[in-house]
């Protein structure tokens, strides 16, 4: 499995059989160019402009934007209803977490998760190998809360997302924090890389680590 980061909360997950894209965004709003890409499956955690723009996605993908169970081309996707805030959606609405399974690897994409999940909720999700978690705060959980969540889930790999960069539109994202805040909180420093290639057997013996992906 190969994982590439498009920026913000969007990833391309490529297996031998298919391509899945998470949370495609509107380039004009986010400030980062979203590449024209073919996909078999697209997951959308919630319908905000920086998470649900499919204009640059080609092909005839299965579009998943609701909780439930889905399957296509070797991918199994499970959607879990959560919230974009700590007030059961009263401030920013609902958010769907997607557990994405393929080639024996289990990924949890948290979307714009706004609260730290409790043990009962995490028990329903089950084991996770790779955690894609927002760390920028304000609109989502912050760096400290992301670390708390990661320690509860204990994935082999944590991929931070939804943090401020110099490419982001400063008028929209001025209140979220940068990646270094999260790295300091979790106590790890790491070199960024262009792509993550993983196999299930490698993850089984791996101690939890942070992987930062370029976009």
């Amino acid at each position: 499995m190969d994982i590439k980061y498009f920026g913000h909360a969007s990833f391309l997950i490529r297996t031998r059989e298919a391509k899945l894209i998470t949370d495609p965004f509107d380039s004009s709003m986010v400030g980062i160019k979203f590449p024209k890409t073919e996909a078999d499956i697209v997951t959308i955690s919630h319908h905000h402009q920086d998470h649900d723009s499919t204009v640059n996605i080609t092909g005839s993908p299965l579009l998943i934007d609701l909780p439930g169970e889905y399957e296509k081309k070797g991918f199994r996707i499970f959607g879990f209803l959560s919230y974009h805030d700590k007030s059961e959606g009263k401030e920013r609405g609902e958010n769907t977490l997607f557990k994405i399974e393929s080639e024996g690897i289990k990924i949890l994409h948290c979307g714009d998760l706004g609260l730290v999940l409790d043990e009962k909720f995490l028990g329903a999700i089950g084991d996770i190998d790779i955690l894609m978690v927002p760390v920028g705060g304000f609109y989502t959980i912050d760096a400290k809360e992301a670390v708390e969540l990661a320690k509860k889930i204990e994935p082999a790999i944590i991929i931070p997302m939804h943090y401020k960069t110099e490419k982001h539109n400063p008028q929209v994202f001025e209140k979220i924090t940068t990646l270094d805040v999260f790295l300091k909180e979790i106590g790890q420093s790491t070199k960024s890389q262009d792509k993550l290639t993983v196999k299930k057997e490698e993850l089984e013996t791996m101690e939890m680590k942070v992987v930062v992906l370029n976009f």
Side-chain angles (χ1 to χ4, degrees), residues 174-188:
E174 63 177 347
K175 294 182 179 179
I176 67 175
T177 59
T178 53
L179 175 63
D180 60 298
V181 177
F182 170 73
L183 294 177
K184 183 178 180 181
E185 186 68 38
I186 202 166
Q188 290 193 29

Side-chain angles (χ1 to χ4, degrees), residues 3 8 20 22 26 33 40 42 44 83 99 101 137 199:
I3 300 174
H8 207 45
L20 182 150
T22 68
D26 183 323
K33 184 178 179 181
D40 300 288
V42 177
I44 291 174
Y83 298 105
K99 183 178 184 180
E101 298 184 9
K199 296 180 180 178

